[in-house]
Amino acid sequence: MKIFNAKPITQIKQEKSEEIPPSVLEVYEIVAAMGEEIATVTAANEALKAEIEALKGGAK
């Protein structure tokens, strides 16, 4: 059993990230970037939906 309280969390995180192969880290970075892009597109989509609803309401 590992005792995690014996080390700071940042040190544990660094040690774990050192165990991960660079190619896997690159995939994680790509996935994170894709997630950020999806969040941006989702926010823009919601803004457009709100604008369309406002325009529909003004046309009545």
Side-chain angles (χ1 to χ4, degrees):
M1 180 173 154
K2 291 184 182 181
I3 300 175
F4 289 107
N5 293 336
K7 299 179 187 176
I9 292 176
T10 54
Q11 183 181 357
I12 295 169
K13 183 179 177 183
Q14 183 178 3
E15 289 172 358
K16 292 292 181 186
S17 68
E18 290 172 355
E19 294 173 5
I20 299 172
S23 59
V24 175
L25 287 175
E26 186 176 338
V27 170
Y28 287 163
E29 290 173 3
I30 292 169
V31 170
M34 290 171 61
E36 290 173 0
E37 288 180 29
I38 289 172
T40 301
V41 170
T42 301
N45 191 17
E46 291 300 320
L48 288 171
K49 284 180 183 180
E51 186 177 342
I52 290 170
E53 287 301 316
L55 290 172
K56 281 183 183 179
K60 290 183 180 180

